[in-house]
Amino acid sequence: MDQRILNWGIFLLLSLTWGSSFILMKLGLETFSPYQVASIRLISAGLALLPVFFRFIRQTPAKKIPVIILSGLLGNGIPAFLFCIAETRIDSSLAGMLNSFTPVFALIFTITLFHAPVAKRQLTGLAIGFAGVICLFLVKGIDANAYWYYGFFVILATACYGLNIALVHHYLKEFASLQLVSVSLFFMALFALPVLLFSDFFILLGNGGGAYRSLAASVTLGLMGTGVASILFYQLIRSAGAIFASMVTYGLPVVAIGWGLLAGEDVSSLQVICLAVIMGGVYLVNRK
């Protein structure tokens, strides 16, 4: 019973942490460019786990490091930039809704790349999930002036997440979660550092005022939304199983919508219905 309570505690904390990531990106973008916010996020996460990295890098086989770096790019590096670019034009609540499509892509890549068996109900779930995403775009309005197409940056990010899940499951299962996260985020921080250094980041920071609020939001995003959350997620998989861990997908958009409403974003009832359709598809994909 104690372990079950702990699992639910991790589940709620993950939903709150990841669900809050989208509004933190919005706050960071008030001052900095999407590339700067993403870089701050990755560098903060990498620095926070630096002491752990030095312990685990010696235990990591050299031939596995390229795979871990690829996992870092798919699971954290590329999506960090894609989400920030998307949120320059779309609401954080919409980004949170679209992010719920991740498990569907995980199934797609598991089937296409690793030839895993698939049930008819999962194919039905894929179709329902895609229909929900299309409806979500239609509800927002296919207007050239509305920048609706920036939502595809989020879809591309969820595809990266899905591919990374399949990659980790088939090639990196033998590694502890803290080892994977610390090693991969160290290299993501290295890749992001030049992006930050060769920009006007320090000039913007010198302006003070709102710049420090944006910096605090971006650093918090890195420490909690990337570093801590990644460790908690892998721990939840190990202690409660992949099925239970995947249920975070259901809690995350609810938190994102809540923050969006508090920030004054427009969330329509039709958007919520479309989210429910996507969640129905995700349920069919993950149900035993």
Side-chain angles (χ1 to χ4, degrees):
M1 182 61 69
D2 291 339
Q3 185 60 50
R4 183 181 299 178
I5 294 173
L6 178 61
N7 290 338
W8 276 107
I10 295 175
F11 171 85
L12 293 173
L13 183 58
L14 270 174
S15 298
L16 180 61
T17 302
W18 271 339
S20 302
S21 296
F22 306 99
I23 196 64
L24 288 172
M25 281 183 248
K26 275 291 185 188
L27 293 173
L29 290 168
E30 289 179 355
T31 301
F32 303 115
S33 73
Y35 306 100
Q36 290 169 334
V37 173
S39 297
I40 295 169
R41 176 181 188 173
L42 295 172
I43 292 169
S44 300
L47 287 176
L49 294 173
L50 196 59
V52 186
F53 163 79
F54 286 119
R55 187 182 70 172
F56 280 120
I57 190 63
R58 293 192 294 268
Q59 304 171 12
T60 307
K63 64 180 182 180
K64 285 289 186 178
I65 289 180
V67 184
I68 294 176
I69 292 175
L70 177 59
S71 175
L73 286 170
L74 294 171
N76 288 297
I78 296 173
F81 289 93
L82 290 175
F83 271 109
C84 286
I85 294 171
E87 288 202 31
T88 60
R89 298 297 185 184
I90 66 173
D91 291 338
S92 64
S93 55
L94 177 58
M97 293 183 207
L98 292 172
N99 185 74
S100 63
F101 204 58
T102 297
V104 177
F105 273 117
L107 177 63
I108 291 173
F109 285 117
T110 301
I111 295 170
T112 56
L113 296 182
F114 301 104
H115 309 292
V118 58
K120 288 184 178 179
R121 124 189 97 66
Q122 290 179 307
L123 294 177
T124 303
L126 287 176
I128 292 174
F130 272 113
V133 169
I134 292 171
C135 289
L136 198 55
F137 278 109
L138 291 174
V139 167
K140 196 64 180 176
I142 306 300
D143 181 359
N145 296 320
Y147 299 103
W148 60 270
Y149 47 87
Y150 271 70
F152 283 108
F153 285 109
V154 179
I155 297 298
L156 183 56
T158 61
C160 290
Y161 286 150
L163 180 56
N164 182 53
I165 291 171
L167 179 74
V168 170
H169 180 73
H170 286 85
Y171 294 115
L172 299 172
K173 284 194 299 186
E174 70 272 21
F175 294 101
S177 58
L178 191 56
Q179 182 176 8
L180 278 179
V181 173
S182 62
V183 173
S184 64
L185 284 178
F186 171 80
F187 287 101
M188 294 308 101
L190 283 184
F191 297 156
L193 187 59
V195 177
L196 198 62
L197 292 178
F198 294 101
S199 69
D200 59 350
F201 167 72
F202 293 103
I203 297 175
L204 293 172
L205 192 61
N207 294 332
Y212 291 106
R213 186 174 81 149
S214 294
L215 177 64
S218 302
V219 171
T220 304
L221 178 64
L223 295 178
M224 299 301 297
T226 299
V228 174
S230 297
I231 296 170
L232 288 175
F233 183 65
Y234 285 116
Q235 178 58 40
L236 190 61
I237 291 175
R238 296 181 67 183
S239 62
I243 299 298
F244 184 84
S246 69
M247 288 174 60
V248 174
T249 306
Y250 298 92
L252 187 154
V254 175
V255 176
I257 290 172
W259 279 116
L261 291 172
L262 288 175
E265 296 179 354
D266 181 26
V267 180
S268 68
S269 57
L270 285 176
Q271 285 179 301
V272 176
I273 292 173
C274 292
L275 174 62
V277 172
I278 297 173
M279 292 292 93
V282 171
Y283 172 76
L284 289 176
V285 165
N286 286 287
R287 184 171 63 87
K288 285 187 178 180

